[in-house]
Amino acid sequence: MFDLLEGWLRHKSDMVNYEAARAICQMRGVTAPQLTRSIAQLQLFLSSPKPTLKFAAIRTLSALAVSHPSSVAACNVDMENLISDPNRSIATYAITTLLKVRPQPNNVSCLPI
């Protein structure tokens, strides 16, 4: 099943790519190396001009940050850029995801707000 989903990460449709990445991120027992391609795909969506793709990607990364914060940390720069996004839902998800990922005890002062 994993190989099939990973193959769909290379599909030409954005929605197929997103759904495959989301399904891999939601799999039980998935390891950090197995998440690498899915996270890379979601990271591409964070810089998309389409708000729906940005929202879907940051929402999936936010959920994944609970179980694999070190894997999601690779997207920190892109998530920091979303803090000033005109869509407040995207900006809020970016802030909360960054707070989940950052290990510092006083991590709110580290955010570039």
Side-chain angles (χ1 to χ4, degrees):
M1 179 68 149
F2 178 79
D3 293 332
L4 177 65
L5 290 171
E6 195 169 61
W8 284 340
L9 288 174
R10 293 182 295 276
H11 197 272
K12 65 180 179 179
S13 169
D14 289 339
M15 282 297 107
V16 173
N17 291 336
Y18 168 70
E19 289 297 335
R22 187 178 64 84
I24 290 171
C25 291
Q26 291 178 345
M27 290 176 80
R28 295 187 193 276
V30 68
T31 63
Q34 291 174 322
L35 288 171
T36 305
R37 290 184 56 114
S38 297
I39 291 174
Q41 186 65 47
L42 293 170
Q43 188 172 11
L44 289 174
F45 290 153
L46 292 178
S47 58
S48 171
K50 299 177 184 176
T52 53
L53 283 178
K54 283 194 277 192
F55 181 78
I58 193 67
R59 183 174 162 206
T60 303
L61 288 170
S62 181
L64 185 62
V66 174
S67 58
H68 295 303
S70 59
S71 297
V72 175
C75 303
N76 278 358
V77 173
D78 294 306
M79 289 188 290
E80 287 172 1
N81 292 336
L82 292 179
I83 289 175
S84 59
D85 194 87
N87 185 324
R88 299 313 304 160
S89 298
I90 293 172
T92 302
Y93 260 116
I95 291 169
T96 57
T97 305
L98 284 166
L99 290 173
K100 291 177 188 177
V101 170
R102 297 202 183 229
Q104 295 92 3
N106 189 11
N107 54 9
V108 174
S109 63
C110 298
L111 291 176
I113 297 175

